[in-house]
Amino acid sequence: PIRASAAEAGPCFPISYANIPDCGTFNQPEEGCESDDSYAVQTGSDNCSASYYGFPFSVPSGNVIDGIVVTVEGQVSPGSDEGLNVSLSYDNGTSWTAIHNTGIMTTTDNFYTVGASDDNWGYASWTPAIINSDLFRVRLDVTGTDGTIKIDSTQAKVHYRESTTTTVTTSGSASTYGNTITFTATVTGAGGSASP
């Protein structure tokens, strides 16, 4: 069966940023938060990186995170072969998930979306507590060697569903061959809500 997310949070923009140790930095990295035609601009280094956090998510506790989608708005200089590697952190930037690549970006502002409603980025332990806090971060790493990248915005969307409990009961504790017996499965939301 394919998971069906019951809800989504976002897209949300971050409110802050952090540099990545041992990597080049962007000029005006704070401008890579929200779409306003002001840009975080790659410096001369080809290994520029930044992480963004402070996304104002409010995923209710007890829910299951199904997938995360990240959209970056930006552009490159003419003749550039550059793009972005995007990864996520669940522990305040100490560890990072699998990388998703935007591909080579264009010379006019475009939106580059990576991830999906059922993509956990190789980390199966996402929780609302992580998503709703600064533990959750989006990392952008410049790829390629020619040109300059300008980032206008970074946004994330989280797909989630209520966790459930399933119980199975039977119409009889024992039966013999040929007798009819009924099994009833009841699925209940974690909060005691009606059957999903």
Side-chain angles (χ1 to χ4, degrees):
I2 298 172
R3 291 184 302 227
S5 292
E8 58 186 46
C12 292
F13 295 102
I15 60 171
S16 195
Y17 70 93
N19 293 323
I20 305 295
D22 302 319
C23 292
T25 59
F26 285 89
N27 288 325
Q28 306 174 161
E30 68 279 1
E31 298 297 347
C33 290
E34 191 167 348
S35 182
D36 58 4
D37 292 330
S38 294
Y39 298 90
V41 181
Q42 173 189 2
T43 59
S45 172
D46 289 326
N47 72 336
C48 278
S49 299
S51 70
Y52 291 93
Y53 64 94
F55 294 86
F57 290 120
S58 57
V59 177
S61 63
N63 282 270
V64 175
I65 307 301
D66 285 328
I68 301 170
V69 177
V70 174
T71 301
V72 179
E73 179 187 8
Q75 60 182 279
V76 294
S77 59
S80 175
D81 67 349
E82 295 187 323
L84 293 169
N85 280 338
V86 183
S87 55
L88 307 176
S89 180
Y90 43 85
D91 58 5
N92 203 34
T94 301
S95 305
W96 299 94
T97 63
I99 292 171
H100 290 49
N101 185 269
T102 63
I104 297 173
M105 297 167 69
T106 63
T107 57
T108 57
D109 256 6
N110 273 309
F111 292 91
Y112 302 87
T113 299
V114 292
S117 61
D118 61 351
D119 184 354
N120 66 12
W121 296 62
Y123 181 70
S125 300
W126 294 109
T127 65
I130 293 171
I131 295 294
N132 296 340
S133 72
D134 289 347
L135 295 173
F136 175 74
R137 295 181 179 225
V138 174
R139 177 175 175 166
L140 307 177
D141 294 294
V142 175
T143 64
T145 57
D146 293 320
T148 300
I149 284 183
K150 295 164 61 176
I151 299 169
D152 192 11
S153 70
T154 306
Q155 53 187 299
K157 181 187 289 186
V158 176
H159 295 264
Y160 64 93
R161 61 189 156 83
E162 186 176 22
S163 65
T164 59
T165 301
T166 304
T167 57
V168 180
T169 58
T170 178
S171 61
S173 60
S175 66
T176 57
Y177 178 77
N179 289 352
T180 300
I181 190 167
T182 301
F183 292 96
T184 303
T186 304
V187 181
T188 306
S193 63
S195 297

